Amino acid sequence: MKIFLDTANVEEIREAASWGIVDGVTTNPSLVAREKRDFNEVVQEICSIVDGPISAEVISLEAEKMILEAREVAEIHPNVVVKIPMTVDGLKAVSVVSKEGIKTNVTLVFSANQALLAAKAGATYVSPFLGRLDDIGTEGMNLVRDIVDIFDIHGYDTEVIAASIRNPMHVTDAALAGAHISTIPFGVLKQMTKHPLTDIGIEKFMQDWEGAFGK
Ligand code: E4P
């Protein structure tokens, strides 16, 4: 499973990239707004840090405008994947721009049927938001599993990005569910590195070493 970082913060991206585990980055309008920086400039900088798919989202909601904006966003860098919300207009836009070779990530997917339609329209990626489903008392991981199964059964190339990840168990479960990618906030990525027995083990090794050989 590939790991994308779910942030528009370049310090976080730079740090995580230095660990050698980042395959790509996803942003959304809320994440970019948090940075209070020019959109094109942020996307360009992210592309200069990570050599992989970088999702950047359109703001337009009507198909014609989405198509124009998607073309502009795709021009920022060859690695840019245009994120388009899962609406009828979004599907129309995906079907047009995907034929032009523009890579797309259909976002805000909350049902298997939405994912199926996005794949049929030509989406490169679909992003089921599992954490937001968990928030309303539904098992978000079941959706990830269903979409992976449907794409496998019918041979769609569209990749599944487990999104709206809230904790390390989401990542493990998404990997077991067969998600091609998990897009992970930096805080969760840091939690994934931790285990108390690792810290206890290091402390014991150091104590034993210093007991025998000194500092
Ligand atoms: C995915 O592409 C989205 O940016 C993200 O995962 C949304 O997560 P949230 O539900 O925590 O805002």
Side-chain angles (χ1 to χ4, degrees):
M1 184 179 70
K2 283 172 273 187
I3 287 182
F4 287 2
L5 205 57
D6 194 26
T7 181
N9 182 283
V10 292
E11 280 79 35
E12 291 180 350
I13 295 168
R14 234 178 268 286
E15 174 58 25
S18 75
W19 304 355
I21 49 84
V22 178
D23 299 299
V25 176
T26 54
T27 67
N28 64 39
S30 306
L31 293 170
V32 174
R34 203 176 290 168
E35 298 307 306
K36 296 184 168 49
R37 292 182 57 191
D38 176 73
F39 173 75
N40 283 34
E41 184 194 290
V42 176
V43 174
Q44 253 162 14
E45 189 169 350
I46 295 172
C47 291
S48 75
I49 302 168
V50 173
D51 185 17
I54 310 298
S55 287
E57 191 158 341
V58 297
I59 302 302
S60 308
L61 297 176
E62 295 146 27
E64 284 309 315
K65 288 184 183 157
M66 276 180 178
I67 292 165
L68 295 176
E69 198 185 339
R71 289 176 184 145
E72 280 172 18
V73 172
E75 279 292 307
I76 298 174
H77 190 278
N79 286 350
V80 165
V81 174
V82 181
K83 222 172 170 188
I84 296 182
M86 176 52 224
T87 59
V88 169
D89 283 273
L91 290 176
K92 290 179 188 173
V94 168
S95 75
V96 170
V97 301
S98 64
K99 290 184 186 76
E100 297 171 5
I102 292 174
K103 293 203 164 68
T104 56
N105 173 358
V106 173
T107 188
L108 291 166
V109 167
F110 292 97
S111 77
N113 283 339
Q114 288 181 320
L116 181 60
L117 293 174
K120 288 197 70 73
T124 318
Y125 304 98
V126 291
S127 290
F129 275 35
L130 66 100
R132 293 193 194 187
L133 282 170
D134 287 359
D135 290 345
I136 59 160
T138 323
E139 177 59 64
M141 202 57 69
N142 288 343
L143 174 60
V144 174
R145 204 170 290 112
D146 286 350
I147 298 171
V148 168
D149 287 351
I150 289 168
F151 287 3
D152 277 354
I153 291 166
H154 295 284
Y156 288 110
D157 292 333
T158 306
E159 292 191 69
V160 179
I161 304 179
S164 189
I165 295 261
R166 299 280 164 76
N167 56 60
M169 277 312 295
H170 273 161
V171 181
T172 306
D173 290 341
L176 287 168
H180 304 91
I181 300 143
S182 276
T183 189
I184 307 173
F186 186 55
V188 175
L189 196 66
K190 282 194 287 190
Q191 289 173 328
M192 288 167 62
T193 66
K194 302 279 184 206
H195 197 288
L197 290 179
T198 305
D199 298 337
I200 291 166
I202 289 172
E203 203 180 323
K204 179 80 169 72
F205 285 158
M206 291 302 112
Q207 270 172 9
D208 291 347
W209 182 268
E210 284 167 15
F213 305 113
K215 289 213 177 194

